[in-house]
Amino acid sequence: MSVNLNIIYIFEIIILIKQISAESCIIDRQLFESDSKMAKHFVKIDCEQGGHRRIQFGIIYSENIILTSNEYKVGEAVTCFIKYKNLRGVTTPVRYKTISTLVEVWRMDSYIAEKDILPRTSVPLKILLLRKKIKLHPKYAAPMPLPESPYKQDSKCVVIGGDKPDSNTKIVEMKTVVIDRKECESTYPNLAENIMCIEVPDEYCNLEHCDEYFEGSALVCDGVLTALVGANQPCFPLKPRTCVGIYDAAKWIQSFEELISSDQEHKKALVGVVLTAARKKLYDIGIILSKNKILTAYAPNLHDTRIFERGYFSDYYEVKGYIEYGAGQIIDWYKARSHTNSTAFTPQELQLSVIMLNEDIPLSPQTAYSMRLPENAPRKNAKCIIATLYPRWMKFSLTLMDYDECVKNLPELHKDYMCIRQVLPRLDDCIQSGNPIICDGELTAIVAKMINCKKNYPRPVAPIHRYRSWILATMRDLELSGSEQSTFAWLLFIIIFIIIIPL
């Protein structure tokens, strides 16, 4: 109780001091803020959750990653777009108009300091992984280096961020004061170790940090990125503004970039496997086995397959299948064989399918190529990745799990399944089915299709070496069945021709 009274007393003194010094306030705003020469490092972030929009700012770390601070919880349903280069104008997609500098956020993760496992007063540091790469430019969109040493108390600091959260935003540099750690702790008990406190300098007593320092703006000290400004919704003007330090999280940030690869190796061996019906599409990934065979998690045999859609009119829609490869080339398919005909898509049903294309893929190192089937299991401690075309071409590092460990989380797991866990921390494990697992450069497994996929749970994958014989036999069977049908159709044509001609 006495602590709270002391805090109230301190606030009353602060208010009194500000009232006394009001006559000496600097009212010239140009002395408080100026255009920033570091604008090329910044983005504007527009997030929508439950009908509520929120404008924040962020830092370009790389072509894949944005750093920011926000109060959204990882895993919540939130849609965010970032705008870079020119921050003015709309920050969400516009119908019939392409905005090249507008990129949707794919995934979000939050830094948790090892020292701050217990609840403490903290500010979330977020990494935003983008659906497509930013087009970096040394003048308009450039990564901002991370700090190489901790903050020093005698550093000269400024806050850099947007001057207003609207369509006319520009990046400005604003004066600020970093508050002594002990003073900050007196206001925020149990303060996390990576938190700093700032406020507007006293001589600008007509300004408040809640109105000036926007969420995700950067605290830059001696020209070095030092911290990101915390949320201002809600904001308490009589308390200092909290910021999350960057230095302690630098290795965590760097690890994200190291785990993501966009080199082109294996890309031309992947195809998109698409099912379409009733104006809806299902999208999976497949691996090229040969010029007309694709390996994926599950694909139905589309011969005479139809679905029923109830609407204003009741109609049957034919299900169509095709693959996408290369620079948007498309080949139809309707024949497929699956290891199981079950569509329950549960861990106890092993999912593996081979598709036969209606036409051949023109294989070449430049356009598309096949992957060899492995004969043996991956070695222990193999270096493994998952390759994906969704939402864009990327490769992520991952680990193969021990079967016994996986069964603890998935008790009904099929005896032949393997399991993976992404190395990227706290990301959604509901990854695209059909994605290949590649260990030491060799095709190792296919990600299984799951309906009820749980986050942070192991993901079953079908091991290729255990089903190599089945895959090869299925490829032959599909080829023979296709030849038999072609032969039958040709013979039927000849018979009809012989019967009709004499007439």
Side-chain angles (χ1 to χ4, degrees):
M1 184 68 179
S2 60
V3 174
N4 291 335
L5 289 174
N6 288 335
I7 293 174
I8 293 172
Y9 179 66
I10 291 171
F11 286 158
E12 289 176 347
I13 293 175
I14 292 172
I15 293 171
L16 181 61
I17 292 172
K18 288 194 173 185
Q19 288 175 344
I20 293 172
S21 59
E23 295 180 359
S24 60
C25 279
I26 298 176
I27 59 174
D28 187 351
R29 188 169 185 86
Q30 292 183 353
L31 296 177
F32 173 73
E33 73 173 31
S34 59
D35 291 351
S36 176
K37 296 180 180 179
M38 303 180 77
K40 63 183 180 181
H41 301 302
F42 287 79
V43 301
K44 184 162 61 174
I45 307 169
D46 189 333
C47 292
E48 188 274 332
Q49 184 182 50
H52 299 285
R53 287 181 62 194
R54 193 165 174 173
I55 299 294
Q56 308 141 45
F57 295 90
I59 302 295
I60 299 173
Y61 173 68
S62 71
E63 61 186 0
N64 295 308
I65 290 173
I66 300 297
L67 302 180
T68 190
S69 174
N70 62 46
E71 297 295 327
Y72 296 117
K73 294 180 180 178
V74 175
E76 286 184 337
V78 55
T79 301
C80 297
F81 289 86
I82 69 105
K83 191 172 188 187
Y84 67 101
K85 190 176 178 180
N86 178 12
L87 304 192
R88 299 194 176 195
V90 297
T91 49
T92 54
V94 178
R95 197 173 185 183
Y96 307 125
K97 184 178 180 181
T98 300
I99 304 174
S100 61
T101 58
L102 195 63
V103 181
E104 187 176 1
V105 174
W106 180 36
R107 293 183 176 182
M108 183 186 302
D109 198 19
S110 183
Y111 173 69
I112 299 177
E114 294 180 1
K115 300 176 183 178
D116 294 324
I117 297 175
L118 297 176
R120 304 182 73 175
T121 301
S122 62
V123 176
L125 172 61
K126 297 289 177 60
I127 272 183
L128 307 182
L129 186 57
L130 304 177
R131 281 191 176 273
K132 68 177 184 179
K133 295 180 182 179
I134 286 177
K135 294 181 180 179
L136 299 179
H137 189 283
K139 291 184 178 180
Y140 309 115
M144 196 169 191
L146 299 178
E148 297 180 358
S149 58
Y151 162 76
K152 296 179 181 179
Q153 286 189 347
D154 57 349
S155 299
K156 183 179 179 181
C157 300
V158 293
V159 170
I160 302 178
D163 62 339
K164 58 187 74 171
D166 60 23
S167 59
N168 294 316
T169 300
K170 66 177 180 178
I171 299 300
V172 296
E173 180 178 300
M174 295 165 279
K175 288 185 167 53
T176 194
V177 174
V178 178
I179 296 175
D180 180 74
R181 173 77 186 187
K182 290 184 178 179
E183 183 181 344
C184 191
E185 288 176 339
S186 67
T187 308
Y188 297 100
N190 202 26
L191 192 68
E193 291 190 20
N194 64 335
I195 301 303
M196 301 172 64
C197 288
I198 60 173
E199 64 180 7
V200 174
D202 289 340
E203 57 267 31
Y204 299 96
C205 50
N206 59 328
L207 302 178
E208 294 180 350
H209 65 76
C210 294
D211 301 323
E212 307 300 332
Y213 305 153
F214 292 104
E215 191 173 8
S217 297
L219 178 67
V220 177
C221 298
D222 294 336
V224 177
L225 174 63
T226 303
L228 293 177
V229 178
N232 60 339
Q233 296 179 11
C235 184
F236 305 98
L238 297 182
K239 290 186 177 183
R241 188 65 167 277
T242 51
C243 305
V244 57
I246 300 295
Y247 176 73
D248 289 344
K251 290 184 179 179
W252 174 77
I253 296 168
Q254 291 165 350
S255 69
F256 258 84
E257 189 68 22
E258 291 169 0
L259 292 172
I260 302 169
S261 171
S262 57
D263 68 65
Q264 301 300 301
E265 187 180 13
H266 307 304
K267 180 180 179 181
K268 292 182 175 65
L270 273 66
V271 300
V273 178
V274 184
L275 282 171
T276 177
R279 299 177 298 279
K280 297 181 179 67
K281 288 184 179 181
L282 295 176
Y283 189 90
D284 279 333
I285 305 297
I287 305 299
I288 299 174
L289 295 177
S290 69
K291 62 184 180 181
N292 63 352
K293 305 293 188 308
I294 304 296
L295 182 66
T296 190
Y298 178 79
N301 191 343
L302 299 183
H303 185 66
D304 292 333
T305 300
R306 295 173 182 270
I307 66 168
F308 182 76
E309 181 183 64
R310 186 179 297 277
Y312 186 75
F313 294 102
S314 296
D315 294 313
Y316 283 96
Y317 292 90
E318 185 178 358
V319 181
K320 295 182 179 180
Y322 61 89
I323 63 131
E324 295 176 341
Y325 73 98
Q329 291 96 327
I330 290 175
I331 297 179
D332 293 337
W333 63 271
Y334 66 87
K335 293 183 65 176
R337 293 276 178 89
S338 297
H339 184 267
T340 175
N341 291 321
S342 171
T343 55
F345 304 136
T346 58
Q348 62 262 40
E349 297 286 350
L350 190 133
Q351 301 292 340
L352 206 58
S353 296
V354 178
I355 294 170
M356 181 172 177
L357 303 178
N358 295 358
E359 301 174 18
D360 292 348
I361 300 174
L363 299 180
S364 75
Q366 292 74 35
T367 57
Y369 51 79
S370 61
M371 290 196 76
R372 189 177 66 87
L373 296 175
E375 297 181 6
N376 302 309
R379 66 179 179 85
K380 190 176 182 180
N381 300 322
K383 186 177 180 181
C384 299
I385 61 164
I386 181 170
T388 185
L389 297 173
Y390 179 83
R392 57 184 169 90
W393 168 249
M394 286 185 289
K395 296 189 290 187
F396 298 92
S397 296
L398 56 83
T399 55
L400 292 176
M401 296 177 60
D402 180 74
Y403 182 84
D404 293 335
E405 181 186 353
C406 191
V407 169
K408 292 178 183 178
N409 292 292
L410 302 170
E412 298 180 347
L413 187 69
H414 189 282
K415 63 180 179 62
D416 286 338
Y417 264 140
M418 299 165 64
C419 282
I420 60 168
R421 192 186 295 279
Q422 293 184 61
V423 176
L424 283 174
R426 293 158 53 84
L427 281 183
D428 184 352
D429 288 312
C430 298
I431 50 183
Q432 199 80 20
S433 58
N435 279 327
I437 307 302
I438 300 169
C439 296
D440 294 336
E442 190 171 61
L443 177 62
T444 301
I446 296 292
V447 176
K449 184 183 284 293
M450 294 287 134
I451 291 180
N452 297 317
C453 178
K454 296 182 179 179
K455 295 176 182 178
N456 299 321
Y457 265 61
R459 184 65 180 269
V461 296
I464 304 302
H465 71 280
R466 292 176 184 167
Y467 287 85
R468 185 175 186 273
S469 298
W470 177 86
I471 294 169
L472 292 172
T474 302
M475 292 172 68
R476 287 193 297 269
D477 290 345
L478 284 170
E479 197 68 47
L480 288 172
S481 64
S483 300
E484 289 167 359
Q485 286 187 359
S486 299
T487 303
F488 176 77
W490 178 246
L491 289 173
L492 183 62
F493 173 78
I494 293 175
I495 292 169
I496 294 172
F497 182 78
I498 292 172
I499 294 172
I500 293 176
I501 287 299
L503 299 176

